[in-house]
Amino acid sequence: MASEYSFDVVSKVDMQEMNNAVQQALKEIETRFDFKGSKSDIKLENDQLIVVSDSDFKLQSVVDILQSKMIKRGVPILNLDYGKIEPASGGTVRQVIKLRQGIDQENAKKINILIRDSKLKIKSQIQGEQLRITGKSKDDLQSVMALLKGAGLPLELQFTNYR
């Protein structure tokens, strides 16, 4: 029996599922009556989405459709970082939405403080864009998972590499 158990806390977006959500959203936009003749489009480039539409209202509708498709495919919408809506060519508006991959230092420190304040016999260490949580008891590790799920952090967390 192992003397120490551990798991990693990560925050990442599955790009294949993200691509599928974008394709489904585009398909719905093509078939919807309220988007007939509009110049609405979604492009996935590297770690960002570029959403284009005729007006602010239609752009918000496109983003809503995209979010619903992301939720259905299990893609975390908390990892979206919305840019401001800006005018684009041809009388359209554009919004750049960045996909956050990994846990930034600020949120990693918040997670460390949450774990330390829980008074559990757990060690946590920041390893780049993820955290490694170790402890002698599996129950304590599961308590930490429940604590982090209920913490209301501004990003979606996944728990991997459970040993």
Side-chain angles (χ1 to χ4, degrees):
M1 193 162 154
S3 62
E4 290 257 318
Y5 299 101
S6 69
F7 68 91
D8 294 336
V9 180
V10 297
S11 178
K12 58 185 169 187
V13 177
D14 182 359
M15 293 308 284
Q16 183 62 49
E17 288 298 326
M18 186 70 215
N19 190 29
N20 292 341
V22 169
Q23 295 305 318
Q24 285 181 342
L26 286 171
K27 213 177 270 187
E28 182 174 328
I29 289 168
E30 287 175 17
T31 59
R32 279 186 42 171
F33 179 75
D34 55 338
F35 285 104
K36 287 275 189 255
S38 82
K39 301 172 188 165
S40 299
D41 190 28
I42 306 169
K43 288 188 181 114
L44 178 62
E45 296 176 356
N46 300 329
D47 276 349
Q48 66 181 11
L49 291 162
I50 299 170
V51 182
V52 178
S53 193
D54 297 332
S55 64
D56 290 0
F57 179 73
K58 280 193 178 175
L59 186 114
Q60 191 57 47
S61 296
V62 171
V63 171
D64 289 344
I65 292 168
L66 177 65
Q67 286 178 345
S68 71
K69 299 302 178 189
M70 288 172 65
I71 290 169
K72 284 182 183 174
R73 300 209 61 89
V75 179
I77 61 171
L78 284 176
N79 287 17
L80 298 179
D81 192 15
Y82 298 93
K84 63 178 198 168
I85 298 172
E86 53 196 33
S89 62
T92 60
V93 290
R94 170 181 52 217
Q95 184 175 27
V96 177
I97 304 171
K98 291 188 172 105
L99 302 173
R100 281 188 271 166
Q101 299 278 26
I103 302 172
D104 60 330
Q105 290 296 319
E106 181 181 321
N107 284 316
K109 288 177 185 174
K110 284 182 190 175
I111 292 170
N112 267 340
I113 291 168
L114 274 172
I115 293 169
R116 189 176 55 228
D117 291 347
S118 70
K119 305 284 192 242
L120 295 169
K121 292 184 172 111
I122 297 290
K123 290 183 280 185
S124 63
Q125 54 192 160
I126 301 171
Q127 297 178 334
E129 293 187 335
Q130 67 181 19
L131 275 89
R132 167 77 41 95
I133 312 294
T134 56
K136 292 186 187 283
S137 167
K138 285 185 180 180
D139 292 338
D140 286 348
L141 292 181
Q142 289 175 343
S143 298
V144 169
M145 285 182 186
L147 173 79
L148 293 178
K149 283 180 186 173
L153 293 166
L155 54 130
E156 190 79 26
L157 299 176
Q158 292 95 22
F159 307 108
T160 61
N161 211 8
Y162 191 80
R163 301 185 202 143

